[in-house]
Short mmCIF file of all heavy atoms in Angstrom, two decimals:
data_model
loop_
_atom_site.label_atom_id
_atom_site.label_comp_id
_atom_site.label_asym_id
_atom_site.label_seq_id
_atom_site.Cartn_x
_atom_site.Cartn_y
_atom_site.Cartn_z
N TYR A 64 -19.16 8.44 -16.21
CA TYR A 64 -18.42 7.21 -16.28
C TYR A 64 -18.73 6.33 -15.00
O TYR A 64 -18.86 5.10 -15.11
CB TYR A 64 -16.87 7.40 -16.38
CG TYR A 64 -16.20 6.09 -16.54
CD1 TYR A 64 -16.35 5.38 -17.75
CD2 TYR A 64 -15.46 5.51 -15.52
CE1 TYR A 64 -15.74 4.16 -17.92
CE2 TYR A 64 -14.90 4.25 -15.71
CZ TYR A 64 -15.05 3.61 -16.89
OH TYR A 64 -14.49 2.32 -17.02
N ILE A 67 -21.77 4.44 -15.63
CA ILE A 67 -21.54 3.27 -16.48
C ILE A 67 -20.96 2.14 -15.67
O ILE A 67 -21.46 1.01 -15.79
CB ILE A 67 -20.54 3.71 -17.64
CG1 ILE A 67 -21.20 4.71 -18.55
CG2 ILE A 67 -20.16 2.47 -18.42
CD1 ILE A 67 -20.23 5.37 -19.46
N LEU A 68 -20.03 2.46 -14.79
CA LEU A 68 -19.46 1.39 -13.92
C LEU A 68 -20.54 0.70 -13.09
O LEU A 68 -20.51 -0.53 -12.95
CB LEU A 68 -18.35 1.96 -13.03
CG LEU A 68 -17.02 2.19 -13.65
CD1 LEU A 68 -16.06 2.69 -12.57
CD2 LEU A 68 -16.43 0.94 -14.24
N VAL A 71 -22.66 -1.61 -15.18
CA VAL A 71 -21.93 -2.87 -15.45
C VAL A 71 -22.01 -3.81 -14.25
O VAL A 71 -22.26 -4.95 -14.34
CB VAL A 71 -20.52 -2.60 -15.93
CG1 VAL A 71 -19.75 -3.93 -16.03
CG2 VAL A 71 -20.50 -1.84 -17.22
N ALA A 79 -25.49 0.31 -20.04
CA ALA A 79 -24.06 0.71 -20.00
C ALA A 79 -23.60 1.13 -21.39
O ALA A 79 -22.95 2.15 -21.59
CB ALA A 79 -23.20 -0.37 -19.46
N VAL A 80 -23.97 0.31 -22.43
CA VAL A 80 -23.57 0.64 -23.76
C VAL A 80 -24.14 1.96 -24.22
O VAL A 80 -23.46 2.78 -24.79
CB VAL A 80 -24.02 -0.51 -24.73
CG1 VAL A 80 -23.86 -0.09 -26.18
CG2 VAL A 80 -23.25 -1.79 -24.42
N ALA A 83 -22.31 4.83 -22.38
CA ALA A 83 -20.96 5.01 -22.86
C ALA A 83 -20.92 5.63 -24.23
O ALA A 83 -20.13 6.52 -24.48
CB ALA A 83 -20.28 3.58 -22.88
N ALA A 96 -13.99 9.43 -22.04
CA ALA A 96 -14.47 8.88 -23.34
C ALA A 96 -13.61 7.77 -23.74
O ALA A 96 -14.07 6.70 -24.28
CB ALA A 96 -14.58 10.01 -24.35
N THR A 97 -12.29 7.93 -23.55
CA THR A 97 -11.32 6.86 -23.93
C THR A 97 -11.58 5.61 -23.12
O THR A 97 -11.66 4.52 -23.66
CB THR A 97 -9.92 7.36 -23.65
OG1 THR A 97 -9.70 8.61 -24.27
CG2 THR A 97 -8.87 6.40 -24.13
N VAL A 98 -11.74 5.81 -21.84
CA VAL A 98 -12.02 4.65 -20.98
C VAL A 98 -13.36 4.01 -21.31
O VAL A 98 -13.48 2.78 -21.32
CB VAL A 98 -11.94 5.03 -19.49
CG1 VAL A 98 -12.13 3.83 -18.63
CG2 VAL A 98 -10.59 5.68 -19.15
N ALA A 99 -14.34 4.84 -21.57
CA ALA A 99 -15.68 4.33 -21.99
C ALA A 99 -15.58 3.47 -23.25
O ALA A 99 -16.24 2.46 -23.38
CB ALA A 99 -16.68 5.51 -22.20
N SER A 100 -14.76 3.89 -24.16
CA SER A 100 -14.54 3.15 -25.39
C SER A 100 -13.92 1.77 -25.12
O SER A 100 -14.33 0.76 -25.70
CB SER A 100 -13.65 3.93 -26.36
OG SER A 100 -13.88 3.49 -27.65
N LEU A 101 -12.97 1.75 -24.16
CA LEU A 101 -12.36 0.46 -23.78
C LEU A 101 -13.45 -0.42 -23.09
O LEU A 101 -13.48 -1.63 -23.29
CB LEU A 101 -11.22 0.67 -22.79
CG LEU A 101 -9.93 1.28 -23.37
CD1 LEU A 101 -8.89 1.54 -22.26
CD2 LEU A 101 -9.32 0.34 -24.40
N MET A 102 -14.31 0.22 -22.36
CA MET A 102 -15.43 -0.49 -21.70
C MET A 102 -16.35 -1.07 -22.79
O MET A 102 -16.80 -2.28 -22.64
CB MET A 102 -16.18 0.45 -20.80
CG MET A 102 -17.33 -0.24 -20.09
SD MET A 102 -16.90 -1.65 -19.10
CE MET A 102 -16.57 -0.84 -17.51
N LEU A 103 -16.62 -0.32 -23.83
CA LEU A 103 -17.49 -0.81 -24.90
C LEU A 103 -16.84 -2.04 -25.54
O LEU A 103 -17.54 -3.01 -25.90
CB LEU A 103 -17.73 0.31 -25.97
CG LEU A 103 -18.73 1.38 -25.56
CD1 LEU A 103 -18.80 2.49 -26.62
CD2 LEU A 103 -20.12 0.75 -25.33
N ALA A 104 -15.49 -1.94 -25.72
CA ALA A 104 -14.80 -3.07 -26.33
C ALA A 104 -14.99 -4.33 -25.46
O ALA A 104 -15.27 -5.45 -25.94
CB ALA A 104 -13.28 -2.78 -26.46
N LYS A 105 -14.90 -4.13 -24.15
CA LYS A 105 -15.08 -5.28 -23.23
C LYS A 105 -16.45 -5.86 -23.32
O LYS A 105 -16.63 -7.04 -23.36
CB LYS A 105 -14.80 -4.75 -21.77
CG LYS A 105 -15.02 -5.81 -20.72
CD LYS A 105 -14.85 -5.29 -19.36
CE LYS A 105 -15.13 -6.38 -18.37
NZ LYS A 105 -14.59 -6.08 -17.02
N LEU A 106 -17.47 -4.93 -23.33
CA LEU A 106 -18.83 -5.45 -23.43
C LEU A 106 -19.09 -6.17 -24.74
O LEU A 106 -19.81 -7.21 -24.75
CB LEU A 106 -19.79 -4.29 -23.28
CG LEU A 106 -19.71 -3.58 -21.90
CD1 LEU A 106 -20.57 -2.30 -21.90
CD2 LEU A 106 -20.22 -4.57 -20.83
N ALA A 107 -18.46 -5.76 -25.85
CA ALA A 107 -18.55 -6.45 -27.11
C ALA A 107 -17.93 -7.83 -27.04
O ALA A 107 -18.46 -8.81 -27.52
CB ALA A 107 -17.98 -5.61 -28.25
N VAL A 108 -16.76 -7.87 -26.42
CA VAL A 108 -16.01 -9.14 -26.23
C VAL A 108 -16.90 -10.16 -25.50
O VAL A 108 -16.97 -11.34 -25.80
CB VAL A 108 -14.69 -8.93 -25.56
CG1 VAL A 108 -14.10 -10.27 -25.01
CG2 VAL A 108 -13.64 -8.33 -26.54
N HIS A 119 -14.10 -0.32 -31.41
CA HIS A 119 -13.94 0.54 -30.21
C HIS A 119 -12.47 0.73 -29.88
O HIS A 119 -12.08 1.84 -29.51
CB HIS A 119 -14.70 -0.08 -29.03
CG HIS A 119 -16.21 -0.11 -29.22
ND1 HIS A 119 -16.96 0.94 -29.57
CD2 HIS A 119 -17.05 -1.19 -29.21
CE1 HIS A 119 -18.21 0.59 -29.69
NE2 HIS A 119 -18.30 -0.73 -29.48
N LEU A 120 -11.72 -0.29 -30.10
CA LEU A 120 -10.27 -0.18 -29.90
C LEU A 120 -9.65 0.78 -30.90
O LEU A 120 -8.74 1.59 -30.52
CB LEU A 120 -9.54 -1.56 -29.89
CG LEU A 120 -10.05 -2.53 -28.88
CD1 LEU A 120 -9.32 -3.93 -29.03
CD2 LEU A 120 -9.82 -2.00 -27.45
N VAL A 123 -10.04 4.27 -29.78
CA VAL A 123 -9.06 4.70 -28.82
C VAL A 123 -7.77 5.04 -29.48
O VAL A 123 -7.12 5.98 -29.10
CB VAL A 123 -8.86 3.55 -27.78
CG1 VAL A 123 -7.73 3.87 -26.82
CG2 VAL A 123 -10.18 3.25 -27.00
N GLU A 139 -4.92 -5.50 -26.44
CA GLU A 139 -6.22 -6.16 -26.51
C GLU A 139 -6.59 -6.55 -27.91
O GLU A 139 -7.14 -7.65 -28.16
CB GLU A 139 -7.32 -5.28 -25.89
CG GLU A 139 -7.05 -5.04 -24.42
CD GLU A 139 -8.23 -4.34 -23.68
OE1 GLU A 139 -9.00 -3.58 -24.38
OE2 GLU A 139 -8.35 -4.48 -22.53
N ALA B 164 -8.80 1.97 -11.36
CA ALA B 164 -10.05 1.33 -11.72
C ALA B 164 -10.23 1.37 -13.27
O ALA B 164 -10.88 0.42 -13.82
CB ALA B 164 -11.24 2.03 -11.01
N SER B 165 -9.71 2.40 -13.90
CA SER B 165 -9.94 2.47 -15.34
C SER B 165 -9.28 1.32 -15.99
O SER B 165 -9.86 0.75 -17.02
CB SER B 165 -9.39 3.80 -15.88
OG SER B 165 -7.96 3.74 -15.89
N LEU B 167 -8.54 -1.68 -14.42
CA LEU B 167 -9.14 -2.92 -13.91
C LEU B 167 -10.53 -3.19 -14.45
O LEU B 167 -10.90 -4.31 -14.76
CB LEU B 167 -9.13 -2.90 -12.39
CG LEU B 167 -7.75 -3.14 -11.74
CD1 LEU B 167 -7.81 -2.78 -10.28
CD2 LEU B 167 -7.35 -4.60 -11.92
N SER B 168 -11.30 -2.09 -14.59
CA SER B 168 -12.70 -2.30 -15.00
C SER B 168 -12.86 -2.59 -16.49
O SER B 168 -13.87 -3.15 -16.93
CB SER B 168 -13.53 -1.09 -14.62
OG SER B 168 -13.07 0.05 -15.36
N THR B 169 -11.84 -2.21 -17.25
CA THR B 169 -12.04 -2.42 -18.72
C THR B 169 -11.36 -3.63 -19.23
O THR B 169 -11.45 -3.97 -20.47
CB THR B 169 -11.53 -1.20 -19.52
OG1 THR B 169 -10.17 -0.97 -19.25
CG2 THR B 169 -12.29 0.04 -19.16
N ALA B 170 -10.57 -4.34 -18.38
CA ALA B 170 -9.84 -5.52 -18.88
C ALA B 170 -10.88 -6.66 -19.12
O ALA B 170 -11.83 -6.80 -18.38
CB ALA B 170 -8.79 -5.97 -17.82
N PHE B 171 -10.60 -7.44 -20.16
CA PHE B 171 -11.57 -8.52 -20.48
C PHE B 171 -10.88 -9.87 -20.60
O PHE B 171 -9.65 -9.91 -20.74
CB PHE B 171 -12.36 -8.19 -21.77
CG PHE B 171 -11.56 -7.91 -22.95
CD1 PHE B 171 -10.77 -8.93 -23.61
CD2 PHE B 171 -11.51 -6.68 -23.53
CE1 PHE B 171 -10.05 -8.70 -24.72
CE2 PHE B 171 -10.73 -6.40 -24.66
CZ PHE B 171 -10.01 -7.42 -25.27
#
Side-chain angles (χ1 to χ4, degrees):
Chain A
Y64 186 71
I67 295 166
L68 280 182
V71 173
V80 170
T97 306
V98 182
S100 202
L101 289 176
M102 179 58 90
L103 284 176
K105 175 184 181 164
L106 295 172
V108 162
H119 296 304
L120 297 178
V123 174
E139 294 189 335
Chain B
S165 74
L167 284 166
S168 65
T169 59
F171 56 69

